[in-house]
Amino acid sequence: MTPDLKILADNKKDLLLAEIAAWLHDMGKCSDEMIEKQASDCPSSPSFQSNTAYKTAFSNLLNGNNHTLSLLNETVTLKELIEKGIPSAIKNNTIQSLLIKYLGRCHAAAHIEKEGQADKKQTIKDTRLSSPFGDETEPLADLTKRLQALPFNEISNREKFLPALKKAFKKAPGDTERPINEVDLWDWSSIVAALYKSALAGALLGNKPEPNDLKWRLLAIRFNSEQILGNASKIPVLLARKKWLTDGLDNVKKMLEETYPLGNEVYRDESGSIFVVPDVQNLLGLKENANSSEKSLKDLISERLGFEGEIVVTPSLSVPWWGQNPSGRPDPSKDKIPPIGKILQEKPYSPPDPEKIKEWWEEATSRAQKEGHNNPEICTISWTRPQGPTERGFQRKASDFWAEKVTGRAKEWNNKDKSKTIWIDEVADNNGRICLITGKLDISEWLTPEGHVRTLFVKPPNGKSSQDVQKKPSFARLRRIWETTKKFWEEVEHGFDSTIGRVENRLVITGNGNKINELITNNVYEMEIDRTRASVFYSENGHFIIIENLKRLARKMGCKAEQNPLEFIQNCLKDKDVKIYNTESKNRDNSICDLKISSVEPIVDNYIPAISILSEPSIFMTIVPAGRSLEIAKNIKEKYEKEMGKVRNRLPLILGMVFARSHTPLAALMDAGRRILKISTGEEDWVLNGDAGDCGTDCILNFDNGITWQIPVKMGDGVTDDIWYPYFYVNGVPANCSRAFKGPKGWLVHVKELKKGYKVKIASPMFDFEFLDTSSRRFEVSYENGKRRDTTKSERPYLLEEIDDFIRLWDTLSGGLVRSQIKNVISLIETKREEWLPEEGNNVFEKFVHDILHNANWKDGIPANIEELEKAAISGKLKDIVELNMDILKVRNMDKKEQEVSE
């Protein structure tokens, strides 16, 4: 009998209940009693008398909700699955249920990280979760209350139960002992649930092996997001395109997880999703009904994506894998890790469907000929569809399909989401400038079978190499890595509340006039006020919202520093006659409506002037006011040093700042940002100019390139030595080091044992910046051998740590010299650099720089860090510091009171 997808739909209820059982199979670990049992100070008579007591201790929570499920000619209860679904069930002859044995195998398959007894127990009152990079949370507490508060009466309602379960399980440990406390109960249970659901789906589809013969595949649905999003001309267009992609992936997720329960989504980023699915022959060719000509799974995925031929996404299946060695004996050579790293390294290809494109254009051409119009023009949003066919599309120079989606995004903002902004002019600072902040955490080497996970320990070396136990890249660990890096960027955005602050008010203009009924609602126009144009959003019934930085608009209209910007604009607009323009039309300089203003009133929206573009595991893009960019970059750097500091030599961060005027084409801005992220993060040799210095919670490393690192060497309690995470690759074989071992790419030494003269391997964290005075300037963001090709910017990119120099040295300059003096100093130095073309170590040029800086008319005498200023001036860094602060950010020399008035 040929299998089909209908059997999955017919067994949907039972498959989803089995999935819930897998999610709950370790629910007893979400308890204070389990913390107590696994603690170093566990009492002689603990609440749990045995190590397996947690499996049955909370079964009473299922009372009244102990559903029965029937699959594979068996009937079991949730309670039976949760209590008995453990690895030992596979060989337990008293257990005949294949459903229970399959759950036991799925538990074992996911447990590659069970390398043996861990190294360090925690205490009852101070048990913490760790990130995969060694950064620990606050002590865990009230876990039992979280478990008992779960809505077990909604256990069969996936949409309600799983969000509540995630909230509870994210605060509970998969294991409590250091250092295997890095996987929380949610990530661990999610993997087991995905494996179990897929295994049962595979059995229903005809692949029903013995438990130890179970295999899985990864189903990848990937597309080229850089190409799809990179052509967006404006923020509403970008956000509409992004929503189009996200909605498509959500539709596929619902189909594969619920409609035809095949498996679960285990990874998503800006370029698509990856699912765990069963190892079933011709899986993508399976049809809804095998005895009909209905669509295949591949066709259904394409249909659910809804891309309509504008892009073609080809789903792909990985080779089979089985996780932990099925024999149960520790043998890493027989483990088979899911190849997710390999999938993510492949560049997706998602071209348009030529037949569909041909169909669109033939229809548009035929229509134009019948109506006596010129040949159709191309949609400036998709760059594949023709414009129109109605006036709504033609006015936006877009297809009706995309005109509707972009307008829909603006309507959604107006009706539901004004606590955020999607308007670039609201983000612009008081100088009308914006900054695209781009970031990349390079996790590629952490997701491979022989990658950086194997540089971490379960048991660290102690001088006897046979006793160290390295971590394995289990599915749960890999998931935790990308979940952690994604959360890092999401928390950066949440921090904008303090780094950027909120804007309390917008202004709403109400008026009436000729042709106002011809304006399109939920559309953006320009309003001319006394020769000053302002962007306005037309909601309806003569109501317009000003979507600009009101302080900047007031300044353009003549508002003085001591005046209130909102009141100034209100007074200027009171009873005014203004003109409305459509900047999207071909006749953008001709007004389309005369408006008589009747009122201008503030509304409280309390929004953050920032626009998020991407916050994914490895890439981050957001647009912020230029004036806040350096503070945000500094906060990102400090967050990275705290949370990833123990592995920063193996987890490089690339940070970019692309500055521009607010109306710079978005595509140019994003292209420049992506170019910065292509900085090579290849390893470099850094030489220590002294032994590692132990300062209690941190270890100090001074390198001969002038960089100093503080590496955290304590766990979250501030007491326990971290002997598991902070290791460095060194050249050669280290001598007389008790904590050294041979890793995948050479020898690693614990940070505390690094000595003067050691060459250590560093994947350098970097940052760069560029100001796009024209769109073509982005092409100058290009690198060769790790440096800019443009000789006038050859010092860029800088090491991430040098962000502090840009702030500190500017404070020295601006605090000691006035603006004209700073310009003169830099001009003299850079003129001589161009004339002399000095090589490194040119004493004449260095003496010249020395004299210029020492002879400057410093307000309070020569600053204490004059030598640091000299080095920066000689290298060219000082020129970049002045360009960034004075020319791009337009920072003025003023005291704090004046600065507050200016802002």
Side-chain angles (χ1 to χ4, degrees):
M1 180 177 176
T2 305
D4 57 32
L5 299 174
K6 185 175 181 297
I7 194 170
L8 300 181
D10 291 344
N11 288 275
K12 170 181 173 178
K13 178 183 176 183
D14 294 302
L15 280 170
L16 295 184
L17 273 174
E19 174 195 36
I20 292 293
W23 246 306
L24 290 172
H25 84 289
D26 269 350
M27 68 178 185
K29 289 186 175 182
C30 183
S31 67
D32 304 316
E33 291 84 352
M34 190 62 176
I35 296 287
E36 177 192 66
K37 178 62 180 174
Q38 294 189 335
S40 60
D41 54 348
C42 175
S44 56
S45 297
S47 301
F48 287 171
Q49 290 295 309
S50 70
N51 290 331
T52 59
Y54 73 95
K55 294 293 289 183
T56 58
F58 298 98
S59 298
N60 63 298
L61 295 176
L62 296 171
N63 288 344
N65 300 291
N66 188 20
H67 297 273
T68 299
L69 59 97
S70 298
L71 284 169
L72 307 179
N73 299 317
E74 292 183 22
T75 299
V76 296
T77 65
L78 281 179
K79 183 174 181 291
E80 287 177 293
L81 279 175
I82 291 169
E83 292 183 349
K84 297 179 181 179
I86 56 178
S88 61
I90 300 171
K91 296 182 179 180
N92 188 335
N93 295 328
T94 64
I95 296 177
Q96 300 300 314
S97 169
L98 191 64
L99 295 177
I100 292 174
K101 290 178 182 288
Y102 265 24
L103 181 53
R105 172 57 194 149
C106 292
H107 179 113
H111 245 329
I112 294 178
E113 76 272 8
K114 281 291 188 179
E115 297 92 346
Q117 188 67 29
D119 205 58
K120 186 78 172 179
K121 291 186 175 185
Q122 302 186 67
T123 63
I124 295 172
K125 297 294 185 182
D126 201 331
T127 290
R128 302 164 186 258
L129 276 169
S130 173
S131 80
F133 311 120
D135 182 53
E136 291 190 330
T137 65
E138 291 299 310
L140 303 175
D142 297 327
L143 299 187
T144 302
K145 287 182 181 178
R146 295 176 188 273
L147 180 63
Q148 293 170 338
L150 287 174
F152 285 98
N153 61 318
E154 299 280 4
I155 203 167
S156 58
N157 187 333
R158 198 172 186 267
E159 289 186 3
K160 287 187 176 181
F161 188 70
L162 288 188
L165 188 68
K166 180 177 181 179
K167 188 175 180 180
F169 278 16
K170 287 300 283 185
K171 299 291 186 181
D175 277 287
T176 61
E177 294 181 72
R178 293 185 177 116
I180 58 171
N181 59 329
E182 84 272 39
V183 178
D184 62 52
L185 191 55
W186 172 254
D187 287 332
W188 159 244
S189 300
S190 296
I191 297 300
V192 178
L195 297 178
Y196 190 50
K197 183 183 189 177
S198 297
L200 296 180
L204 287 170
L205 292 169
N207 184 18
K208 188 178 174 183
E210 290 299 313
N212 280 339
D213 293 328
L214 281 171
K215 295 178 184 177
W216 295 267
R217 293 177 185 258
L218 295 177
L219 170 61
I221 300 171
R222 310 290 288 165
F223 42 73
N224 188 338
S225 62
E226 182 175 341
Q227 169 193 328
I228 298 164
L229 301 178
N231 290 328
S233 57
K234 295 185 176 180
I235 290 295
V237 171
L238 172 72
L239 297 180
R241 298 278 280 177
K242 182 181 173 184
K243 186 175 187 298
W244 179 57
L245 296 177
T246 302
D247 287 349
L249 292 174
D250 287 346
N251 292 338
V252 172
K253 182 175 187 286
K254 188 169 185 65
M255 180 183 73
L256 295 179
E257 291 190 356
E258 297 182 42
T259 308
Y260 304 113
L262 265 173
N264 284 349
E265 184 184 62
V266 292
Y267 180 87
R268 184 187 290 197
D269 62 16
E270 76 282 3
S271 296
S273 298
I274 298 176
F275 295 81
V276 168
V277 294
D279 178 28
V280 172
Q281 187 176 6
N282 191 31
L283 180 66
L284 291 171
L286 296 183
K287 295 186 176 182
E288 295 175 280
N289 190 325
N291 299 317
S292 73
S293 59
E294 293 181 2
K295 297 170 183 173
S296 68
L297 179 59
K298 182 179 178 181
D299 296 331
L300 290 169
I301 289 172
S302 178
E303 182 181 86
R304 294 299 200 280
L305 285 172
F307 297 158
E308 298 186 0
E310 192 172 313
I311 58 173
V312 176
V313 177
T314 304
S316 63
L317 289 167
S318 74
V319 297
W321 49 272
W322 52 82
Q324 189 182 60
N325 173 19
S327 73
R329 294 186 297 273
D331 187 351
S333 66
K334 294 182 179 179
D335 295 338
K336 186 72 171 180
I337 295 166
I340 198 160
K342 182 180 179 183
I343 293 172
L344 296 180
Q345 287 173 355
E346 296 171 353
K347 190 171 181 65
Y349 180 58
S350 45
D353 180 349
E355 292 301 317
K356 194 66 179 177
I357 302 299
K358 180 182 178 182
E359 178 187 324
W360 288 335
W361 282 89
E362 285 178 347
E363 288 179 4
T365 302
S366 175
R367 189 184 307 110
Q369 290 173 347
K370 287 179 182 178
E371 296 173 357
H373 296 155
N374 295 328
N375 286 335
E377 296 184 43
I378 197 165
C379 167
T380 58
I381 294 177
S382 67
W383 299 102
T384 53
R385 302 171 186 262
Q387 291 183 20
T390 70
E391 191 62 25
R392 186 181 191 86
F394 288 129
Q395 280 197 8
R396 296 197 68 104
K397 300 179 184 177
S399 63
D400 284 6
F401 176 87
W402 278 109
E404 177 63 30
K405 285 191 177 296
V406 172
T407 303
R409 182 66 187 92
K411 182 179 179 180
E412 182 181 344
W413 169 82
N414 184 40
N415 293 339
K416 302 177 183 177
D417 213 14
K418 288 210 289 284
S419 62
K420 299 179 182 177
T421 183
I422 61 173
W423 312 112
I424 203 78
D425 286 323
E426 286 192 323
V427 176
D429 66 10
N430 294 347
N431 296 307
R433 295 187 173 184
I434 57 174
C435 176
L436 173 70
I437 293 187
T438 62
K440 175 183 174 183
L441 283 164
D442 190 353
I443 59 175
S444 57
E445 286 294 321
W446 289 85
L447 302 179
T448 60
E450 298 300 321
H452 289 322
V453 171
R454 294 190 184 273
T455 65
L456 309 176
F457 285 101
V458 175
K459 282 185 175 293
N462 59 4
K464 298 179 181 180
S465 60
S466 62
Q467 293 189 7
D468 61 65
V469 179
Q470 298 169 30
K471 287 187 176 181
K472 300 174 187 176
S474 71
F475 206 161
R477 281 198 178 116
L478 299 184
R479 178 187 172 101
R480 186 80 165 118
I481 287 168
W482 67 67
E483 289 261 340
T484 300
T485 52
K486 181 176 175 64
K487 183 183 176 186
F488 176 90
W489 295 121
E490 290 171 345
E491 289 177 349
V492 167
E493 282 189 3
H494 294 158
F496 288 168
D497 214 329
S498 58
T499 52
I500 297 176
R502 291 183 177 270
V503 177
E504 184 177 0
N505 298 115
R506 290 185 173 99
L507 287 177
V508 177
I509 298 170
T510 303
N512 205 349
N514 69 326
K515 298 184 179 180
I516 196 167
N517 292 331
E518 296 179 15
L519 299 182
I520 300 173
T521 58
N522 302 308
N523 205 15
V524 176
Y525 297 95
E526 281 192 352
M527 182 180 289
E528 188 172 67
I529 312 157
D530 294 336
R531 298 183 182 179
T532 299
R533 286 198 182 188
S535 297
V536 292
F537 175 85
Y538 182 55
S539 55
E540 58 183 353
N541 300 327
H543 296 297
F544 298 82
I545 303 173
I546 298 179
I547 49 172
E548 296 225 8
N549 176 337
L550 295 179
K551 289 183 180 179
R552 171 165 169 74
L553 178 60
R555 181 191 291 180
K556 288 195 294 182
M557 293 170 65
C559 179
K560 292 183 171 56
E562 63 273 13
Q563 292 178 287
N564 182 297
L566 265 69
E567 292 177 1
F568 180 86
I569 295 172
Q570 286 178 278
N571 291 333
C572 285
L573 292 178
K574 187 176 181 181
D575 299 326
K576 281 272 186 167
D577 293 316
V578 297
K579 293 184 179 296
I580 305 296
Y581 296 83
N582 182 3
T583 59
E584 298 286 343
S585 71
K586 294 180 180 178
N587 301 314
R588 56 183 300 165
D589 292 326
N590 296 333
S591 67
I592 58 173
C593 175
D594 294 322
L595 186 75
K596 176 69 175 180
I597 295 176
S598 57
S599 69
V600 184
E601 298 295 334
I603 55 172
V604 178
D605 284 335
N606 214 28
Y607 68 93
I608 297 175
I611 300 172
S612 171
I613 297 175
L614 294 171
S615 296
E616 303 299 342
S618 63
I619 189 171
F620 174 75
M621 283 190 176
T622 191
I623 298 175
V624 301
R628 297 294 184 185
S629 58
L630 205 53
E631 182 182 353
I632 293 169
K634 184 173 184 290
N635 282 4
I636 292 173
K637 168 186 167 289
E638 291 173 351
K639 181 177 174 65
Y640 165 73
E641 289 172 343
K642 176 187 178 296
E643 297 178 13
M644 280 84 169
K646 296 176 179 182
V647 298
R648 62 194 292 188
N649 55 316
R650 292 156 282 167
L651 181 61
L653 168 64
I654 304 300
L655 200 58
M657 295 180 287
V658 182
F659 299 92
R661 298 178 184 89
S662 61
H663 287 193
T664 299
L666 181 62
L669 202 67
M670 290 182 63
D671 184 38
R674 291 188 184 276
R675 285 168 174 266
I676 288 179
L677 296 185
K678 291 177 181 177
I679 296 172
S680 172
T681 54
E683 289 182 342
E684 297 178 348
D685 286 342
W686 289 16
V687 180
L688 285 159
N689 62 9
D691 292 352
D694 189 351
C695 293
T697 58
D698 293 325
C699 195
I700 309 299
L701 299 180
N702 291 308
F703 297 99
D704 66 355
N705 59 5
I707 298 297
T708 297
W709 278 7
Q710 290 183 236
I711 307 296
V713 290
K714 296 289 185 183
M715 300 308 289
D717 57 7
V719 176
T720 304
D721 288 332
D722 185 349
I723 53 178
W724 305 284
Y725 292 95
Y727 285 80
F728 283 70
Y729 275 110
V730 299
N731 283 356
V733 180
N736 302 320
C737 293
S738 61
R739 298 210 183 276
F741 72 101
K742 192 170 185 179
K745 296 183 178 180
W747 281 87
L748 292 103
V749 176
H750 191 273
V751 63
K752 284 188 176 183
E753 298 196 11
L754 294 176
K755 306 296 182 184
K756 180 178 180 179
Y758 273 20
K759 288 183 179 180
V760 297
K761 300 289 185 182
I762 305 292
S764 306
M766 311 290 285
F767 90 97
D768 200 355
F769 68 93
E770 186 58 76
F771 176 65
L772 302 186
D773 53 342
T774 66
S775 294
S776 61
R777 187 74 62 196
R778 70 187 189 274
F779 298 118
E780 295 182 10
V781 183
S782 178
Y783 303 92
E784 185 175 17
N785 298 323
K787 287 294 182 181
R788 287 283 198 98
R789 286 189 170 92
D790 184 350
T791 56
T792 65
K793 299 172 182 177
S794 59
E795 280 301 300
R796 305 182 200 174
Y798 292 95
L799 294 171
L800 186 68
E801 293 75 16
E802 293 178 271
I803 287 177
D804 293 335
D805 298 347
F806 273 68
I807 297 171
R808 185 179 60 258
L809 295 181
W810 173 250
D811 287 344
T812 300
L813 272 181
S814 60
L817 301 174
V818 298
R819 185 180 181 86
S820 59
Q821 289 176 307
I822 295 172
K823 280 289 188 183
N824 287 338
V825 165
I826 295 300
S827 177
L828 286 169
I829 293 172
E830 294 309 314
T831 299
K832 288 304 178 187
R833 190 192 307 278
E834 288 184 24
E835 292 176 0
W836 296 353
L837 300 175
E839 296 182 356
E840 187 175 346
N842 185 306
N843 293 332
V844 176
F845 181 68
E846 291 177 3
K847 179 67 165 60
F848 176 78
V849 170
H850 173 90
D851 291 343
I852 289 291
L853 288 173
H854 278 258
N855 292 330
N857 188 21
W858 297 95
K859 291 178 186 177
D860 300 313
I862 295 173
N865 60 341
I866 189 68
E867 290 186 9
E868 190 179 5
L869 281 172
E870 284 184 42
K871 289 180 181 178
I874 291 166
S875 69
K877 184 198 292 187
L878 197 62
K879 178 195 71 170
D880 281 344
I881 291 173
V882 171
E883 178 187 344
L884 177 59
N885 286 279
M886 188 176 287
D887 299 336
I888 298 175
L889 300 180
K890 294 185 175 294
V891 178
R892 302 175 185 176
N893 301 71
M894 54 181 69
D895 61 29
K896 288 186 178 180
K897 186 175 180 180
E898 290 176 314
Q899 186 71 37
E900 288 170 3
V901 171
S902 173
E903 292 180 352

